[in-house]
Amino acid sequence: MLNEFSSALNESPCTQSGARAPFSYQLDDTEFWRHIPAWSEIDSKTFGDHRWQQRNSITTLARIRETLGELVGSTLIDDIDAGLMRTRMNLRLTPYVFSRINWANAENDPVRRQFIPLGSQFIADHPLAMDDSLAEDSNKVTPYLIHRYPDKALFLPTTLCPVYCSFCTRSRVVGGSTAVKSKSTYGAKPLGWDSTFDYISNHPEIEDIVISGGDVLLLRPKQISQIGISLLSIPSVRRIRFATKGVAIMPMKFTSDIEWVEALREVSRLGRDLMKEVSLHTHFNTDREITVWTSRAMKTLTDIGVRVRNQSVLINGVNNSLDCLRYTMKKLANLLIQPYYIYQHDLVPGCEHLRTTVRKSEGMSLGLQGSMAGFNTPRVVCDAPGGGGKREISSYILYDQEIGVSVWTSPAAKPGAIFYYYDPIHLLEEKGQAIWANPSAIDSRLAKVRAEATARLDFAE
Ligand SMILES: *Cc1c(COP(=O)(O)O)cnc(C)c1O
Ligand code: SF4
């Protein structure tokens, strides 16, 4: 049965290095989930029901074991067990995404790597990693609103998600506590949102609202309407975006949760009446997450007039191959999902094995430019640690590649300030690694970088 799933993966630069264009953009329309022993009898209608997906989501090691049966050995199960003792994120996968994992090669699987930690793959955190790497808490203006940029704000109505990603930038608050991290998670509390709507009304310079979390997929239809209508009714708000991984990890939500879709349709219609944009930002990282179910979800979203864009994270061992990334972006574009951002992995703890260097991301950016329509070419950005906001990956003012330190400014969000991003130490050349291993050597080298950065600041701005 395993081979059945492998052969469902069509030939592309993601399955075969060195594969040559033209590639097939054919979508997997097989009953791929049947290769999972527990779901071998599940028919398409059942699999396509969002309630079944939610009820059968995998949240414990015991469930992984039961669901996979003989498909995997005890070595892998023990490795997952060790991973769960070290991760800051809860375990949660929908059956859809769980069955997109090629369990015959789970160790190196790009989907497994995003959602299920293996103890053997952890690497010590960077000494300068930060819990709140983007300094969001310092830009918090209400319990649910982050206001960093002059004309846009980020509304976080919930910290729960239908899946939990090992690389989550908000691992400090998203999902429940784990063995190594306690959190103050919150669910949707609509009665508490008024102060957020008031703040936005009282700050007419705010034109764009991102509604994220957590994931808006878990908001009730009533809450989608409440948020959408309240925000669109504020005269100064011109655009709103709902952020959800749903299209990538539970596409059947958009074809089987009629009430939720109706709520979004109502918000979209109001947006059109007012000449305001209502969009949905989703999050695919690999082509493996794209199937015929994606195109069904997109048919619905296109019908209701919601524009869909994608934001990916560049993740080591998941999507850091240029040919595969390019193919994935084009495949998304073909489904009317516009590639928008590819993020440099944030400098958060617990996922050092998943980060890459700024140099690597620059290479991706160079290789993506010019290889597809300009409006489908994602911008590769680094969200500058400390609250500098998103910066074009090549716009650093200084990059000491040997020790992996890049220096950023942010004239629009924080004029006059300097921000630093640190590459993962294990990916540096030996000489750079040796400098980090020597406290006085690294201190003086960092002091040198800081002095040089300060000297360049006036010039850069
Ligand atoms: C990313 C982000 C936004 C939206 O920025 P865009 O570049 O328009 O996508 C708004 N506020 C915060 C705090 C953000 O991190
Ligand atoms: S869906 Fe987004 S917010 Fe939720 S765990 Fe993944 S990255 Fe974090």
Side-chain angles (χ1 to χ4, degrees), residues 163-184:
V163 297
Y164 289 114
C165 317
S166 300
F167 51 88
C168 182
T169 185
R170 289 193 196 103
S171 62
R172 71 186 188 285
V173 288
V174 166
S177 300
T178 70
V180 297
K181 177 71 188 163
S182 72
K183 310 180 190 181
S184 44

Side-chain angles (χ1 to χ4, degrees), residues 134 136 139 145-149 151-155 170 208-210 241 281 311 340-341 343 379 381 383 389-390:
L134 306 181
E136 291 187 327
N139 289 131
L145 195 72
I146 294 159
H147 186 194
R148 159 169 315 142
Y149 299 96
D151 71 343
K152 45 195 178 189
L154 173 62
F155 177 27
R170 289 193 196 103
D208 273 85
I209 309 290
V210 182
R241 351 170 178 164
H281 282 205
Q311 309 187 182
Y340 177 42
Y341 279 137
Y343 290 104
R379 292 174 59 207
V381 293
D383 211 332
K390 300 170 188 76

Side-chain angles (χ1 to χ4, degrees), residues 21 27 30 41 53 62 65 107 132 146-148 188 211 243 249 252 273 311 315 321 333 366-367 370 382 416 448 457:
L27 300 169
T30 66
E41 301 300 319
Q53 290 282 331
R65 211 187 290 120
E107 202 182 313
D132 180 12
I146 294 159
H147 186 194
R148 159 169 315 142
I211 307 141
I249 53 87
M252 41 292 285
D273 289 349
Q311 309 187 182
I315 305 173
S321 135
L366 284 173
C382 175
K448 185 167 159 260
L457 185 60

